[in-house]
Amino acid sequence: MNLWVKRIALGLSAVVALFLFACLDDESILGFRNQNQKFKVSYIEIPIESSVLLFDSLRTSNYLTDPGIRLLVGSYEDPVFGRVTADAYTQIRPSNILKAKEAGAIYDSVTLHLHLDLYNYGGASTSTEFFTVYRLTEGLTFRDGNDYYTNSTVAYDPKPLGTGSAIIKPALFNEELDDIFTVDTVITTRLKLDDSFGSALFNNWDATSENFYNFDKFSPLFKGLAIVGNNNSKIFGISLSDSTRVAVHYHTATDTLVFNYYISPLERSPNFGLASASRIVVDRSTSPLAGLTTPYTDFTASDPNKLFVQSGTPVVTKLDFSKFLEFSDTIENLVINSAELSIGSIDDPQSFRPPQSLYLQVLDNNNRLKIYDESKQDSLDLTFYNNRVRSLAATVSVTENTARISKLNSLGVVEDRQDRFAQLTYNSSTKSYNSFITLFIQELAEQESNTDLNITKSRFTNLALYPGNPFAGKSVNRLSFNKENLKLKIFYTTPTQNK
């Protein structure tokens, strides 16, 4: 079959569009239809088979290259998705390993300062959220390929170092988050920690000692902190800026001073790369998703008409585009003019803000995100599909357009190199999502092969609606919607048969 889809340049599409508009203009201006039209424009809505998938985990480790770095703490009750809980783990480091302690300095106290990054999720009303800080008994590390995920646990001493609280104001926080043009608002909360911990930090402070200036020696002595919520109504974000710090207060004969320990990641080098991550768990036992327990297995909710997407404890909607191929493979000389994927309206989110964007990502036959290896098949597929991805993602930075489910590999490309073919943007006014995926659909329609390698191009029909912004591993945003609101709308052109 001779399809026109494969190598249609944007310029040619524009010419076809102009020609089509000209034909319509002939009818409206001259008052009759041009009987010699050579092309016919048609519209069709393709039904999409869909289901729900649970992924086993997401990476929550904080890298400087991530689109967002934060720790999550707290919990909230969601009537649709269940109870979601987040705990945070982080290393600490001296702020200045060259600074010598003043002669005669005397320890006073130790405090923890947390910079709230304004991210919050749960109830809509202002509330005071309590949390407890513990000392880690298990070391954190990025060494030897180690990473931390939503289901990772890190051991800590059950004896608390201190208990604190944070006042979370959703209306104010969300307004600041949404206004990207204002100066960042810095809101911090402070709590006192146990003096035995502070004294240990103070006594270890010696700029000439490896136990202080060498992080490989320092970190086994001070493994880090765990921050655990106390039966909260919200999850809130903690910034890894230098405003988040452990402050050791001390004095000399003439002054009152502070020496800080930071949690900011810096570079991921052996001596300075700090590890931090969040553990995110969910109890769905009393929710409509109670049966969603087996990862990577197609699931239908108690209401079979409902679909779901959730960050943090990753739930995605699986799409099957097979019906599109059944359509496109039966039409000769097909030109796809436009293809739009949309969710017409989502369920009322109430106080649970939906993701600002969703990505359309390729699934493998095992329902996992597609991982491109170095095989000839994948190399061929990457050649055919890659330009389509870049074209569609022209307004998205390279960093944003790469799903960092795992750490970077030696080639500078993430190990899970799944490609995002589209970014469905949320419209808060209409409570809907949409994106044009024309280039991908054009490529999907084309049947091609490499005769030298005797390999036929894969036609990716299984895809996932995957949380985009906020970054899925650093948020818990979610949405639900009816299946019938999910639509693939196609405008296409075919040549007419001249008598």
Side-chain angles (χ1 to χ4, degrees), residues 76-84 121 287-288 310 352 476 478:
Y76 68 94
E77 191 73 35
D78 188 318
V80 177
F81 288 81
R83 185 159 188 84
V84 184
Y121 211 81
S287 77
Q310 184 180 30
F352 306 106
V476 289
R478 54 70 147 187

Side-chain angles (χ1 to χ4, degrees), residues 96-305:
N96 185 353
I97 60 175
L98 301 179
K99 180 176 173 56
K101 190 186 334 182
E102 291 84 353
I106 298 175
Y107 168 81
D108 291 325
S109 64
V110 60
T111 55
L112 175 62
H113 302 248
L114 299 179
H115 175 192
L116 307 183
D117 75 349
L118 305 182
Y119 178 83
N120 67 98
Y121 211 81
S125 60
T126 296
S127 62
T128 300
E129 303 298 326
F130 294 91
F131 56 89
T132 302
V133 180
Y134 301 90
R135 188 169 179 176
L136 293 182
T137 57
E138 178 183 345
L140 296 169
T141 182
F142 283 143
R143 298 263 182 104
D144 300 322
N146 194 54
D147 245 320
Y148 298 93
Y149 299 84
T150 49
N151 57 2
S152 297
T153 58
V154 183
Y156 55 83
D157 188 334
K159 179 183 177 181
L161 289 178
T163 299
S165 63
I167 299 176
I168 307 300
K169 303 178 179 181
L172 172 63
F173 286 14
N174 293 337
E175 181 181 2
E176 294 287 340
L177 282 174
D178 294 340
D179 189 353
I180 62 175
F181 299 105
T182 59
V183 177
D184 290 340
T185 299
V186 177
I187 299 177
T188 61
T189 187
R190 167 180 167 169
L191 64 146
K192 188 179 184 303
L193 298 182
D194 189 273
D195 282 328
S196 63
F197 176 64
S199 295
L201 284 172
F202 184 76
N203 294 332
N204 185 68
W205 177 12
D206 180 354
T208 66
S209 170
E210 273 198 295
N211 287 341
F212 177 75
Y213 69 76
N214 184 341
F215 190 72
D216 287 344
K217 301 289 186 180
F218 175 86
S219 57
L221 300 175
F222 301 94
K223 295 180 174 65
L225 303 174
I227 307 173
V228 180
N230 298 342
N231 193 29
N232 307 102
S233 63
K234 295 178 182 64
I235 284 177
F236 59 94
I238 298 173
S239 169
L240 273 65
S241 73
D242 288 347
S243 295
T244 295
R245 57 196 172 93
V246 175
V248 175
H249 304 266
Y250 66 101
H251 70 272
T252 65
T254 59
D255 207 353
T256 299
L257 303 165
V258 175
F259 185 80
N260 293 314
Y261 293 79
Y262 294 148
I263 70 170
S264 55
L266 289 179
E267 298 176 0
R268 295 189 63 230
S269 60
N271 289 331
F272 298 102
L274 285 176
S276 64
S278 302
R279 175 175 178 259
I280 308 172
V281 296
V282 61
D283 179 3
R284 300 188 179 95
S285 59
T286 60
S287 77
L289 295 175
L292 184 61
T293 57
T294 306
Y296 308 111
T297 301
D298 292 89
F299 172 80
T300 300
S302 54
D303 182 349
N305 189 44

